[in-house]
Every structure is written in C-alpha cells, then in structure tokens.
Amino acid sequence: MMAGSTLEIKDLHVEIEGLEILKGVNLTIKGGEFHAIMGPNGTGKSTLASAIMGHPKYEVTQGQILLDGEDVLEMEVDERAQAGLFLAMQYPSEVSGVTTSDFLRTAINAHREEGDEIQLMPFIKEMDKTLDFLEIDKNMAQRYLNEGFSGGEKKRNEILQLMMLKPAIAILDEIDSGLDIDALKVVANGINEMRSDSFGCLMITHYQRLLEYITPDHVHVMMQGRVVKSGGPELAQRLEAEGYEWIKEELGIEDETVGNNA
Ligand SMILES: Nc1ncnc2c1ncn2[C@@H]1O[C@H](COP(=O)(O)OP(=O)(O)OP(=O)(O)O)[C@@H](O)[C@H]1O
Ligand SMILES: [Mg+2]
C-alpha cells in the first residue's frame, strides 16, 4: 500500500469574476488525517473546494496548492482526479445519459494503466458489495448519475464513488446536508471505512452531528475567506453550543462573509 499523500494549501487567493473570495488560505492535509472546516454561510468554504478541483470560474491569483510537492494548479481537472484528489460537491450535478455504474467503471479505469483495466465481473462484485454496505438499492447504479435522485440519494452516491475510487485526498462539501438520521449513519460508516494512512479527508460541515460519528483530528473555522481558527474536536463542540459570535469578538471581526472586508 502506498504511503499517504499530503495536500498543502499555501496562502491561497481566489477570485470569481474579479471579486476576491479566498484571501490567503493555509491548510495541510496528510494521509491518515481527518479535517473538518466549519464556518458561517458565504465565507468561502465551497470556493476552496472548487478551487482545489480546478473549477474554471475560480481564478487563483496568489498562493500554491501542492499534492506531494507537485503543483496542482498546473494540472487539468482530470489530472487532479488522476493524481488522487476527489471532491463531493455540495450540490452534485446530474449527468444525463451516463449510468452510475458506467461512470464508476470509466473513472476507475481512468486511474489505471492501459491493459490493466478493471474487468467487468470484479467491478460488479465490488460495486454490489459497496452498494450493500451503503444500503443503496442495486437498481440505482443503472440509473443516470444523479438524475432525479433525491437530495439524500445524491449524497449516498457520492460516498459510493468515494469508496469505489479510493482517492488519496477527499474533500466532502456538506456531505451530511439533507440526510435523514439513518442515512447520516450510513454515510458516516462509509467515510470511517476509508480511514487509513493512505487516505486524508477534508469535511466541510455546518453541524457537530456528523462529527459525532466521524471524529476529526483537526477542526478549522473559515471566515472572510481565510482559516481564522484551528483546534481539535472540542472546537466543533463549542461552535455547536455557542455559535460564531465569540470567534468574531476574539478576532475583532464584524462581518464574517467575504464581501465587506479589507
Ligand atoms: N460562481 C460564483 N459567482 C459569483 N459569486 C460567487 C460564486 N461562487 C461563490 N460566490 C460568492 O463567494 C462567496 C463564498 O461562497 P461559498 O460558496 O464559497 O461559501 P460557503 O462558505 O461554501 O457558504 P455555505 O455555507 O452557504 O455553503 C459568496 O458570497 C458567494 O456568493
Ligand atoms: Mg458551501
């Protein structure tokens, strides 16, 4: 087994249509580590995820993203996935005409050398096992990816992709939003199942609830397009109990969003 990868984000500045959203994010995620990012709405969390994956709308104007020392910003979107990065988006898109099963098999084979493609039977076996684990109906895999899926079904399907693709570093943007109580446990089990030295994870979440099932090693708070505070699981507990005002007071921040600050 490959040793874990390291994703380093250094002084990252990102603009959308000329407006600066990220204003110097610093964060390092290593294989074996689970990180959580929390923070009020509109503070740049999803922007960070999109910038790491190379969404064309997000322009990096300063700083670096390195995966094991390699410059991620020089890579195309598909190269980033090949290099071992995975993003579960806050709002997964519907892909008409491609079934979940076909999508997964293509994606797995894109990570493999020519001639070393996964064969159909072993693929189906592993997919069925993972579908069972995630309590997803087998018919779902034959439907077009995310098309007409309920909110919770989309989130479960993201974890199916995670478990099948086995990336080195995963960014999960609000993977817990819209899940019912049982589904939250199923999804958390899936993420916990991934825990190993060769897997690092960044979970963006609003609620301590997810973190009751998945204990993060590090918790970060994002405000004004920066990581303004980091700590352990106790930080998430305090946020759940007290909200964000105390951090704003501590740091002398009036408006936590990215719009109105220097
Ligand atoms: N494509 C875009 N075009 C214009 N503005 C954008 C775009 N994407 C993000 N923004 C703006 O950037 C800011 C940060 O957005 P982002 O989605 O990163 O916030 P967030 O921290 O993920 O919030 P939430 O907790 O609500 O998901 C917001 O003010 C948002 O309106
Ligand atoms: Mg978001």
Side-chain angles (χ1 to χ4, degrees):
M1 193 95 228
M2 190 178 74
S5 289
T6 300
L7 181 70
E8 286 173 282
I9 298 154
K10 295 182 178 173
D11 190 33
L12 190 70
H13 291 247
V14 171
E15 287 184 9
I16 301 169
E17 288 157 6
L19 178 69
E20 187 166 64
I21 306 289
L22 297 187
K23 305 176 184 197
V25 174
N26 290 291
L27 195 62
T28 299
I29 300 154
K30 295 187 178 141
E33 295 178 352
F34 277 18
H35 293 247
I37 291 195
M38 302 180 78
N41 295 130
T43 50
K45 303 179 300 299
S46 295
T47 301
L48 175 63
S50 296
I52 295 169
M53 290 315 291
H55 190 297
K57 242 187 158 169
Y58 299 77
E59 190 198 346
V60 175
T61 54
Q62 199 178 313
Q64 284 184 300
I65 305 177
L66 302 173
L67 182 64
D68 297 327
E70 299 269 331
D71 187 353
V72 171
L73 296 174
E74 289 291 311
M75 301 178 193
E76 301 293 333
V77 175
D78 60 329
E79 291 173 333
R80 297 182 195 205
Q82 295 233 25
L85 296 175
F86 175 94
L87 170 64
M89 287 192 292
Q90 185 170 354
Y91 304 106
S93 13
E94 306 198 352
V95 186
S96 198
V98 180
T99 65
T100 298
S101 173
D102 287 344
F103 171 80
L104 281 173
R105 195 155 164 239
T106 306
I108 290 171
N109 284 332
H111 290 242
R112 293 180 166 221
E113 299 292 320
E114 231 181 277
D116 184 38
E117 287 92 352
I118 189 166
Q119 297 302 305
L120 187 58
M121 286 320 288
F123 168 75
I124 288 177
K125 217 174 142 193
E126 184 169 355
M127 188 174 69
D128 282 352
K129 195 182 76 181
T130 314
L131 288 166
D132 277 345
F133 183 92
L134 293 171
E135 298 172 27
I136 300 174
D137 189 301
K138 290 209 170 58
N139 295 325
M140 292 284 289
Q142 303 313 325
R143 283 172 59 181
Y144 292 152
L145 184 62
N146 289 324
E147 197 179 69
F149 285 19
S150 78
E153 286 168 350
K154 285 181 183 168
K155 297 292 174 172
R156 247 186 238 233
N157 197 280
E158 294 294 306
I159 300 306
L160 172 68
Q161 294 168 37
L162 175 74
M163 294 180 77
M164 294 290 291
L165 295 178
K166 303 179 181 62
I169 303 280
I171 300 155
L172 310 177
D173 195 356
E174 296 198 25
I175 196 69
D176 49 344
S177 78
L179 291 177
D180 70 51
I181 296 154
D182 295 328
L184 181 63
K185 286 182 196 165
V186 167
V187 159
N189 282 343
I191 299 166
N192 280 326
E193 187 76 8
M194 295 291 296
R195 240 202 212 273
S196 82
D197 287 346
S198 51
F199 177 68
C201 188
L202 176 63
M203 296 172 280
I204 298 168
T205 182
H206 285 295
Y207 306 106
Q208 156 68 13
R209 176 141 222 167
L210 178 73
L211 307 178
E212 276 169 19
Y213 297 113
I214 307 169
T215 311
D217 305 291
H218 305 277
V219 175
H220 312 278
V221 179
M222 195 146 181
M223 284 185 187
Q224 297 184 334
R226 290 188 196 94
V227 173
V228 296
K229 196 170 185 68
S230 297
E234 74 290 342
L235 179 55
Q237 279 157 17
R238 182 161 180 203
L239 293 173
E240 181 83 14
E242 299 178 36
Y244 290 105
E245 278 306 317
W246 65 277
I247 295 188
K248 289 165 67 179
E249 272 168 34
E250 199 176 281
L251 301 172
I253 291 173
E254 275 185 26
D255 183 347
E256 69 276 19
T257 61
V258 292
N260 294 323
N261 47 71

